[in-house]
Amino acid sequence: MSEPQDKIKRFDSQQVRTEPRFFADVAQILQTGRSKAYRAVNTAMIQTYWQLGQRIVEEEQQGEARAVYGQDLMSKLSRYLGEHFGQGFSVANLKNFRQFYLTFPSFDEFATHCVANIAWSHVRLIMRLDSTAERHYYLQEASSQNWSSRLLERHIKSGYYRRVLAHQSPLNNLLQPSASPFTKDPYVLEFLGLPENLSGKENRLEQSLINHLQQFLLELGKGFSFVAQQMRISTETSHFYVDLVFYNYLLKCFVVIDLKTEKLTHQDIGQMDMYVRMFDDLKRGDGDNPTLGIILCADKDETLVHYSVLSESQQLFASKYQTLLPTEEELAAMLEKETVKRMGNAEDNATGGEA
């Protein structure tokens, strides 16, 4: 083979090796640029909608016949904007802009919740919530976790925020101010498509969770990664099998989950306590924090929880699960439970202060 031909072949070979990396670099640059442009445009549009809402409210507040004038104004404005800017300015949308401004009178306050990943579809869902704290929570979480509007809607319908509040624990508090939950009560598993009564069918529940692992991880919360199903932990004389094992990279510890399709018992608590102790001895690595255990059960007696090791342990937790989305009554009960708990804590603190 002649030297020029050899050089040509070497050049072709080098080009084949470098082209994929070059293509990938160019694609990454374009993707990054488009993402920045989308976020900039998205933020600008949301601010524009807020300003439209502000201007509408200011105009409506003129005169005493405010309600009638406002409705007529909205219809005329909708027609005018439709003629000049096309679709997207129906009376319903204009009312949404107005509601946006009324819900968040200060855009600077709204923008403090890191709204770079928030789209208008997110805002429409969040601004309909009555609680200011709940709105702020979903704004922050939807943005930081890059939730889709569908996932946000699912979390709102399942009472995600209220379930976190109703089951506050020291570990939940460690993850503030992001309000990222470690445990909640109950866990809502409607995505499994299972019947409400799973008594005696723990294997079916377990396999369904594995089949819907992505949704289950989202329900568990931040920082969870799946490790194993039916992990064996062995002593010199016995073998034990833990239903589900996860690792939480935020808390830097293993999380073991035991599934119970019946009501929580003393035996269940004792078994989980043993699992956690064994896991700490046999599986916990250097730099890992103590193992945490969650008993996911169909029901539980709060008196049993109060007088068991669960009430004092920093490593053991018991939560109910349900396979249907909570009703409005159940969501209200969660909020009431949280309110009563906060009032009780305030009274205890006041009593302690007087003492």
Side-chain angles (χ1 to χ4, degrees), residues 247-261:
Y247 189 86
N248 190 291
Y249 62 84
L250 294 178
L251 297 174
K252 292 181 170 53
C253 68
F254 284 101
V255 180
V256 297
I257 296 181
D258 198 24
L259 303 173
K260 301 295 179 184
T261 56

Side-chain angles (χ1 to χ4, degrees), residues 87-112:
Q87 297 181 350
F89 298 99
S90 64
V91 172
N93 276 343
L94 295 179
K95 289 182 178 180
N96 280 331
F97 301 156
R98 178 177 60 185
Q99 184 60 46
F100 183 25
Y101 170 74
L102 292 174
T103 304
F104 299 98
S106 168
F107 188 81
D108 289 340
E109 179 186 355
F110 173 80
T112 59

